[in-house]
Amino acid sequence: YRSTQTTDDATVAELQKWQTELNAIYNEMLAGNSDVSDNNDENQSRTVDISRVQSRAIELEQAISRSRLRSNPADVPQALPTSQPLHAESFLQSLPPDLILLVYHVVGDEIMAFVCTKGRLHVVRHLANVNEIVKLQMRLQAQWERLRLGASLLQRHLAQLQLSQQRILQTLYHLLLEPVFTLLAQGCNIDANTNSEHLLRNLTIVPHSVLHQIPFHALYDGDRYLIESWAISYAPSATVFALCQQRTFIQTKDALLVGMADPTIPYVANETEN
């Protein structure tokens, strides 16, 4: 009993130590994203630091999971639906014919994409590296922080702020969407017999890792934002998306819509009512 108790105490202490470090890393990552200037040298150093702490966070999360599993395997849920592997062929066949699934994945420093349509799977590698995406995300966050400077200041500098944001969103579009655009366009021709364009432009995006912070629907091709051309939805993973496709939804005419307008977005009330 003493030996077991000593082992349990050591495991608990180890877990507490790792969790404390992980919490500190999360705070460091949040601080790094919330206080960014446009200085390139400063951004570069912070990008490197964030890449380092992200790697350490992943290591700690994996270590904590392994330790908990070793300490009490009986507490680990068995046969969770999200833990079952997807079979590519059956998964692709289950996709709605009017939808394209764009799945991103980060391996090391490489960002790749999987374009899934009914019966087809295409892989596009080497879209970008994690560091350059993190750097752009930090610059975009800094631009959004400036929107809190007040209505009068925004009115004076709105055009410049919009241009600055569009440049960042266009760079992200060039890195993350332009290399797969041909495949997305081909996916729109799944059913050549229908003239209903909106049925052929449904795009579900599955981000991964740092890409969860990217507003894909707002990416800009130089002429329009992605949301202007596609009906965009998101899924946390391909497995979760597949499970959701198996659910039965009940049609209803009742809905609860909530909106709150302020001086910067005055038409929210009209949109909610209509």
Side-chain angles (χ1 to χ4, degrees):
Y1 172 78
R2 290 181 180 176
S3 176
T4 302
Q5 184 66 45
T6 300
T7 301
D8 290 344
D9 290 344
T11 300
V12 170
E14 187 178 55
L15 281 171
Q16 290 177 341
K17 176 183 176 182
W18 286 341
Q19 190 64 59
T20 300
E21 183 181 354
L22 186 59
N23 291 339
I25 284 177
Y26 286 153
N27 290 333
E28 184 177 351
M29 291 170 66
L30 290 172
N33 279 338
S34 62
D35 184 18
V36 184
S37 70
D38 285 335
N39 184 279
N40 289 335
D41 293 337
E42 185 178 359
N43 281 339
Q44 181 64 35
S45 64
R46 289 180 179 176
T47 299
V48 173
D49 289 341
I50 284 186
S51 178
R52 173 184 57 79
V53 297
Q54 284 177 335
S55 297
R56 180 56 179 162
I58 292 173
E59 292 176 1
L60 288 170
E61 289 169 351
Q62 293 174 345
I64 290 172
S65 297
R66 288 194 298 266
S67 180
R68 286 175 174 166
L69 180 60
R70 287 194 304 267
S71 63
N72 199 348
D75 288 342
V76 180
Q78 300 298 317
L80 288 175
T82 53
S83 68
Q84 302 304 310
L86 285 177
H87 297 284
E89 184 175 352
S90 60
F91 170 69
L92 290 173
Q93 292 299 327
S94 69
L95 289 177
D98 59 342
L99 179 138
I100 300 174
L101 186 66
L102 178 57
V103 182
Y104 288 93
H105 197 71
V106 176
V107 179
D109 195 44
E110 177 192 350
I111 297 175
M112 64 178 67
F114 299 83
V115 181
C116 310
T117 59
K118 186 173 178 61
R120 301 186 183 95
L121 173 64
H122 303 275
V123 182
V124 182
R125 296 196 58 184
H126 305 291
L127 298 178
N129 64 66
V130 172
N131 279 344
E132 61 184 331
I133 295 300
V134 170
K135 181 177 180 181
L136 288 166
Q137 193 278 329
M138 292 170 65
R139 289 176 56 195
L140 186 61
Q141 182 68 32
Q143 292 292 330
W144 287 342
E145 289 294 329
R146 293 174 181 173
L147 298 178
R148 302 179 181 181
L149 297 178
S152 60
L153 189 61
L154 282 178
Q155 290 176 357
R156 292 198 304 270
H157 301 285
L158 184 60
Q160 182 59 43
L161 289 172
Q162 182 178 10
L163 181 60
S164 298
Q165 292 184 40
Q166 284 180 338
R167 287 173 178 169
I168 301 172
L169 293 169
Q170 188 171 359
T171 302
L172 288 167
Y173 180 96
H174 171 73
L175 293 172
L176 299 174
L177 283 173
E178 194 171 284
V180 302
F181 182 80
T182 299
L183 295 173
L184 298 183
Q186 291 173 353
C188 287
N189 297 322
I190 296 173
D191 185 355
N193 296 321
T194 179
N195 294 321
S196 185
E197 182 181 357
H198 74 279
L199 291 177
L200 303 176
R201 303 188 71 84
N202 293 319
L203 179 63
T204 297
I205 299 174
V206 179
H208 183 231
S209 186
V210 298
L211 298 181
H212 282 285
Q213 302 181 61
I214 301 299
F216 284 91
H217 55 281
L219 298 192
Y220 186 66
D221 66 1
D223 182 42
R224 60 179 62 188
Y225 299 97
L226 189 67
I227 192 65
E228 297 181 77
S229 302
W230 298 83
I232 305 294
S233 60
Y234 292 90
S237 71
T239 302
V240 171
F241 175 82
L243 290 172
C244 289
Q245 298 306 302
Q246 300 172 12
R247 294 181 59 190
T248 301
F249 294 94
I250 300 175
Q251 296 290 339
T252 177
K253 296 182 180 180
D254 297 327
L256 173 64
L257 302 178
V258 179
M260 183 179 70
D262 66 36
T264 62
I265 47 173
Y267 296 105
V268 169
N270 292 338
E271 293 174 358
T272 304
E273 291 173 359
N274 296 327

